[in-house]
Amino acid sequence: MPIAIDALQTFLAAVHPYDTLTADEIEALAHAFRPQAMKAGETVYRLGEPLQGLYLIHDGQVAVRDENDVQISALGPRNSFGERGLARDGIAVTSASTVTDSLLLVLPRADFLRLVETKPDVARFFDRSRQPRPKRSDLATSRVETLMTGDPLACAPETPVQDAAAAMRDAHVSSICVTDAGALRGILTIRDLSSKVVAAALPVTTPVSQVMTGDPVSLPPSAIGSDVLHMMMERRIGHIPVTEGDRLVGIVTQTDLTRFQALSSADIVRDVAHAGSIADMAAATARIPQLLVQLVAGGNRHEVVTRLITDVADTATRRLLSMAEDTLGPPPVPYLWLACGSQGRQEQTGVSDQDNCLFLDDAATEADMAYFHALATFVSDGLNACGYVYCPGDMMATNPKWCQPVRVWRQYFASWIAAPGPEAQMLASVMFDLRPIGGTPSLFEDLQRDTLALAARNSIFVAHLASNALKHTPPLGLLRGFATIRSGEHKNRLDLKHNGVVPVVDLARVYALQGKLAPVNTRARIEAAMAQGVLSATGGQDLLDAYDLIAETRLEHQARQIRAGRKVDNFLAPTDLSDFERSHLRNAFVVVKSLQSALGHGRGALG
């Protein structure tokens, strides 16, 4: 089935991304493409075989299948395929066969690689990760390890305060960390020397252990600069040690942050943390939509945007807990407020409801429950007033079922794992995303470790949770399009939450369970799974790229709605996207579908 060069040039000029080339470049490309006529049912290439090159369909239809022989794409004229294998080592990562008699155009691998290396627009089409992002060097995107002083001044607990003060003077610093065999035990600042030593007329021989701030709050090197600023503003402190485990590795001070700007989110955190009333707090959280718009417009990655937005919710929760205690009096026993859902994963966007619970010390009695019900009601009502609406499924600490002593929570998890029915799977999925927000963290630490170990040992539970993770599927249509919502208020739209982000969230949760991995954040779970070998390097990187694209598309959609003065939601009309954006969003869904298929065949993402 021959095709004339001039006809081929006309065809290429109407196909993206070749339409970005000049007429001379299209003519040269037309001579490089080789026509290949194939009958219906013929194999174009098999998984693991060397690829001839990039395939472009001129006429006909082609079915592409993954490594489990599950069809992931049905392609028609003007669609390309095979680029993923070409961009790696030239080996097919899928299989393809014709559905009808077809005319395929084959661009040899050498010509394809030369094209993407020399033409950025073409390269970005076949690899969205090549798209340039705004270069930013601000607090919002800088990791703590790039901000901290890596060799902080330190002394032993028994050091006299005079010696510690002299060391601070000589080093021209305003604090000194107190360590024992490298482990952080406390911090002593100039303010401590003034208020606790000089003002109290203590002897200069007093050990620093008697006047230091013991067990100070700290952050890991992987935290971002905004975490530092938010913590400083909320707690009114100027020095934050950086630790790995309990080992001191650095310190960040206010001086370290002077060259960085992240004032929008920090202003909201400050106003929330110091709000005198729920009305004041609600006025501050009302600025979150504009914060989202500014962060997205500034080119921040989705995990940074959602982290900053979640920081506000965390601060609001802690402020409400403090206000509740001021109103109700001190708690009768230690407690811990935890968030699950998107807040637990630090992935809140412009649409967030409440998902939370209370862990109580095992010393709690039935008589104590009235206090904690009142506390939960105060906080939940306050969050609702601040825009974090009540959970439709009543997954809140106001529900007595989710306000229980730790021993009861242990029983919950043990029963869900032992008998993983549909409800148990749902509840376990929600509760595996728990993250402490305010109270006594030790009430959760042992439970999290023990539950992960117990769940990972139960292969039946893992299999059920994996099956549950396949219930939300990417919205892929059969003919190179999307499976949009068929009826109702959101007809002809994509649900970027339940069919976009949630499938990735579910996969990451299963990988974390399989590897007994502690991270709760989705991206952190995928990275940890790759590091532990639970997830292959190629499968993991594909999933990260797909997740990034889906999550950022969701945020960009919400930002557009806010700018237009519309109510924020997760429902996107494909027609709101360009051909380029639709093509890559669909490719991202294909990646997620492939990894779901691998999980469904009991192979995880290895192999």
Side-chain angles (χ1 to χ4, degrees):
M1 191 183 299
I3 179 171
I5 286 294
D6 57 346
L8 182 51
Q9 289 177 229
T10 301
F11 176 74
L12 290 175
V15 177
H16 193 67
Y18 313 112
D19 57 358
T20 63
L21 304 178
T22 66
D24 289 343
E25 289 168 341
I26 290 176
E27 181 181 3
L29 195 61
H31 285 282
F33 270 105
R34 299 199 310 265
Q36 181 175 324
M38 304 190 72
K39 296 292 186 181
E42 283 194 69
T43 297
V44 182
Y45 58 74
R46 293 183 174 85
L47 176 73
E49 289 184 347
L51 288 164
Q52 294 183 44
L54 177 75
Y55 290 87
L56 173 61
I57 304 174
H58 187 278
D59 291 300
Q61 290 187 6
V62 172
V64 177
R65 296 179 178 274
D66 67 12
E67 57 191 9
N68 298 304
D69 200 35
V70 174
Q71 182 170 320
I72 56 176
S73 291
L75 309 180
R78 296 165 32 115
N79 291 152
S80 298
F81 60 100
E83 65 270 19
R84 286 178 60 204
L86 289 177
R88 292 178 179 174
D89 52 11
I91 302 299
V93 295
T94 56
S95 60
S97 59
T98 54
V99 178
T100 63
D101 290 353
S102 303
L103 175 61
L104 307 182
L105 305 173
V106 185
L107 181 64
R109 181 170 187 252
D111 294 295
F112 170 76
L113 294 178
R114 188 179 307 113
L115 182 64
V116 296
E117 287 298 326
T118 58
K119 299 298 175 185
D121 288 339
V122 177
R124 286 194 293 272
F125 179 83
F126 290 111
D127 180 4
R128 192 178 191 273
S129 66
R130 297 183 184 222
Q131 291 192 82
R133 292 181 176 274
K135 300 280 186 185
R136 296 178 64 87
S137 180
D138 62 12
L139 189 58
T141 56
S142 297
R143 289 167 65 103
V144 163
E145 62 189 2
T146 68
L147 305 174
M148 69 184 189
T149 299
D151 187 21
L153 187 66
C155 67
E158 63 271 18
T159 304
V161 292
Q162 183 177 39
D163 293 349
M168 293 163 62
R169 177 200 62 201
D170 295 341
H172 304 288
V173 296
S174 56
S175 67
I176 186 168
C177 294
V178 183
T179 60
D180 185 7
L184 179 66
R185 294 291 178 258
I187 187 170
L188 183 72
T189 67
I190 288 179
R191 181 186 298 175
D192 294 325
L193 291 172
S194 173
S195 62
K196 298 179 181 179
V197 180
V198 177
L202 293 181
V204 294
T205 56
T206 302
V208 295
S209 59
Q210 293 187 19
V211 293
M212 70 182 186
T213 299
D215 297 321
V217 294
S218 63
L219 288 170
S222 58
I224 56 176
S226 290
D227 293 338
V228 177
L229 188 53
H230 293 174
M231 186 176 286
M232 286 180 174
M233 289 193 169
E234 181 181 357
R235 299 174 183 266
R236 297 184 180 180
I237 56 178
H239 309 78
I240 297 179
V242 181
T243 57
E244 289 184 328
D246 64 353
R247 186 172 63 88
L248 178 69
V249 297
I251 191 168
V252 181
T253 70
Q254 288 179 334
T255 303
D256 297 321
L257 304 181
T258 54
R259 61 191 174 88
F260 294 96
Q261 296 296 322
L263 296 179
S264 295
S265 58
D267 283 346
I268 297 176
V269 166
R270 180 196 59 218
D271 292 347
V272 169
H274 304 144
S277 66
I278 291 176
D280 291 342
M281 196 181 306
T285 58
R287 305 204 301 270
I288 290 176
Q290 191 56 42
L291 171 65
L292 186 149
V293 170
Q294 291 175 357
L295 292 171
V296 172
N300 291 281
R301 292 180 60 88
H302 69 92
E303 68 267 27
V304 173
V305 177
T306 55
R307 174 81 70 85
L308 298 181
I309 291 174
T310 305
D311 280 351
V312 178
D314 291 354
T315 305
T317 304
R318 286 190 286 267
R319 179 64 185 129
L320 287 165
L321 287 169
S322 176
M323 294 169 71
E325 290 188 22
D326 289 343
T327 302
L328 302 172
V333 297
Y335 71 87
L336 178 64
W337 184 284
L338 301 99
C340 45
S342 60
Q343 184 183 0
R345 297 189 304 273
Q346 295 180 294
E347 294 166 4
Q348 287 189 313
T349 65
V351 187
S352 298
D353 59 7
Q354 296 182 43
D355 292 290
N356 47 58
C357 62
L358 270 170
F359 280 27
L360 310 180
D361 188 275
D362 281 338
T365 66
E366 190 62 33
D368 296 329
M369 301 310 291
Y371 175 93
F372 289 109
H373 178 71
L375 180 139
T377 300
F378 186 101
V379 175
S380 184
D381 288 349
L383 288 172
N384 184 69
C386 291
Y388 306 100
V389 299
Y390 300 119
C391 174
D394 203 20
M395 188 69 68
M396 298 185 297
T398 50
N399 183 337
K401 185 174 184 178
W402 310 128
C403 176
Q404 293 290 336
V406 172
R407 65 177 181 277
V408 176
W409 281 101
R410 285 188 178 276
Q411 293 169 5
Y412 284 165
F413 279 102
S415 64
W416 296 334
I417 293 167
E423 183 183 18
Q425 294 173 39
M426 183 275 292
L427 293 173
S429 294
V430 172
M431 294 304 176
F432 273 120
D433 292 351
L434 286 173
R435 182 172 61 88
I437 303 298
T440 306
S442 60
L443 294 176
F444 179 63
E445 291 169 356
D446 291 345
L447 177 62
Q448 181 191 38
R449 183 188 63 247
D450 296 346
T451 300
L452 280 173
L454 180 65
R457 288 197 302 268
N458 190 319
S459 59
I460 295 176
F461 174 77
V462 174
H464 275 275
L465 200 64
S467 176
N468 191 59
L470 306 179
K471 290 183 178 179
H472 294 99
T473 57
L476 291 169
L478 290 179
L479 297 176
R480 193 58 181 178
F482 296 109
T484 56
I485 298 170
R486 295 185 177 182
S487 61
E489 178 185 0
H490 305 297
K491 183 179 179 181
N492 297 327
R493 295 177 180 270
L494 303 173
D495 185 342
L496 290 178
K497 178 180 178 180
H498 292 101
N499 300 115
V501 171
V502 169
V504 184
V505 170
D506 289 345
L507 283 171
R509 188 184 298 113
V510 173
Y511 298 147
L513 178 61
Q514 290 174 333
K516 293 182 283 189
L517 306 172
V520 175
N521 176 265
T522 297
R523 213 174 192 284
R525 279 173 164 170
I526 296 171
E527 291 174 341
M530 293 168 64
Q532 292 295 319
V534 175
L535 188 58
S536 70
T538 54
Q541 191 57 56
D542 279 350
L543 186 58
L544 285 174
D545 290 343
Y547 177 52
D548 289 346
L549 177 56
I550 296 167
E552 288 175 10
T553 300
R554 181 190 186 197
L555 286 178
E556 289 162 0
H557 163 67
Q558 293 185 356
R560 285 195 298 270
Q561 290 181 309
I562 294 168
R563 288 195 298 268
R566 299 198 301 268
K567 181 180 178 181
V568 176
D569 61 31
N570 294 296
F571 301 99
L572 171 71
T575 52
D576 289 344
L577 302 175
S578 66
D579 288 344
F580 173 85
E581 291 168 325
R582 284 197 297 271
S583 174
H584 284 284
L585 183 59
R586 192 181 191 284
N587 288 342
F589 289 146
V590 168
V591 169
V592 178
K593 178 67 175 176
S594 297
L595 287 169
Q596 284 187 325
S597 175
L599 185 66
H601 284 74
R603 300 179 60 253
L606 294 172

